[in-house]
């Protein structure tokens, strides 16, 4: 387990079978990776057939731009270069999309989802396409294909428009 960006930067990633990047504040994560030099090391690792698993913020950074997460995370570190690894060829990733918070009422959960939806629609009009997925589902990227894994619907946002897809209907997205 690596506990700091500096420690990650000192590792030879080619000695690892896979990397797992967890959650937290997405802006802080991306800033730390870029400032420490780990961002480029991870990119090289991926380009040499390395396997990376990202969860929450650790997944968002593999999209085109992390500003998609502004409705969920604060940019307290004043990150200006918000471009991620762009592993989905211009598509940004929004996690936890339809998840309900157990301590919220049904109305509060609906309000939360509406806030996320408005933010994503606005983002998609200015920055580009977004894929929004629920907690239980995953995106698998392998060379030229993107596959959705799971059981719950996912949503795409492009030019301010939203489309809902059932995973069993469309498991692959063309890149």
């Amino acid at each position: 387990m690596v506990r700091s960006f500096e420690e990650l930067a000192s590792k030879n990633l080619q000695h690892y079978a896979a990397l797992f990047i967890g959650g937290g504040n997405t802006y802080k994560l991306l800033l730390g990776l870029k400032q420490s030099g780990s961002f480029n090391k991870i990119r090289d690792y991926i380009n040499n057939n390395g396997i990376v698993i990202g969860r929450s913020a650790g997944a968002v950074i593999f999209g085109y731009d992390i500003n998609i997460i502004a409705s969920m995370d604060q940019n307290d570190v004043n990150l200006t270069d918000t471009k991620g690894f762009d592993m989905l060829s211009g598509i940004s990733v929004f996690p936890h999309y339809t998840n309900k918070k157990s301590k919220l009422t049904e109305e509060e959960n609906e309000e939360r989802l509406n806030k996320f939806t408005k933010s994503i629609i606005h983002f998609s009009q200015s920055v580009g396409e977004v894929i929004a997925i629920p907690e239980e589902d995953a995106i698998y990227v392998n060379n030229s294909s993107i596959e959705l894994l799971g059981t719950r619907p996912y949503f795409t946002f492009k030019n301010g428009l939203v489309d809902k897809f059932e995973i069993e209907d469309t498991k692959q997205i063309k890149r």
Side-chain angles (χ1 to χ4, degrees), residues 98-114:
T98 54
N99 297 0
K100 295 181 178 182
K101 297 271 186 169
S102 62
K103 295 181 181 177
L104 298 180
T105 66
E106 191 66 36
E107 294 80 26
E108 290 169 326
N109 273 312
E110 192 66 34
E111 184 177 312
R112 180 176 171 266
L113 183 60
N114 287 337

Side-chain angles (χ1 to χ4, degrees), residues 54-172:
R55 181 185 183 288
S56 194
V60 176
I61 64 172
F62 288 98
Y64 174 70
D65 191 304
I66 70 161
N67 265 334
I68 186 57
I69 207 72
S71 63
M72 197 179 297
D73 282 353
Q74 296 295 313
N75 187 359
D76 295 332
V77 295
N78 298 315
L79 179 66
T80 55
D81 178 8
T82 59
K83 298 294 185 245
F85 286 96
D86 194 21
M87 298 307 299
L88 287 85
S89 301
I91 302 172
S92 297
V93 178
F94 190 93
H96 319 296
Y97 182 59
T98 54
N99 297 0
K100 295 181 178 182
K101 297 271 186 169
S102 62
K103 295 181 181 177
L104 298 180
T105 66
E106 191 66 36
E107 294 80 26
E108 290 169 326
N109 273 312
E110 192 66 34
E111 184 177 312
R112 180 176 171 266
L113 183 60
N114 287 337
K115 173 186 164 189
F116 290 165
T117 301
K118 287 178 187 175
S119 175
I120 297 169
I121 288 171
H122 175 74
F123 181 90
S124 75
Q125 290 172 322
S126 60
V127 178
E129 190 171 355
V130 176
I131 185 164
I133 62 172
E135 185 77 31
E136 298 85 0
D137 292 359
I139 300 172
Y140 174 70
V141 179
N142 186 11
N143 297 326
S144 63
S145 70
I146 300 169
E147 186 175 349
L148 284 295
L149 307 171
T151 59
R152 298 189 54 210
Y154 69 94
F155 298 79
T156 60
F157 296 79
K158 189 172 184 177
N159 300 321
L161 302 174
V162 61
D163 286 313
K164 177 181 177 182
F165 296 93
E166 298 296 331
I167 276 213
E168 58 272 358
D169 294 337
T170 60
K171 289 196 179 229
Q172 285 205 338

Side-chain angles (χ1 to χ4, degrees), residues 32-43:
L33 290 174
K34 287 185 176 184
Q35 284 182 336
S36 69
S38 297
F39 186 89
N40 290 331
K41 287 187 83 162
I42 293 169
R43 182 179 297 286

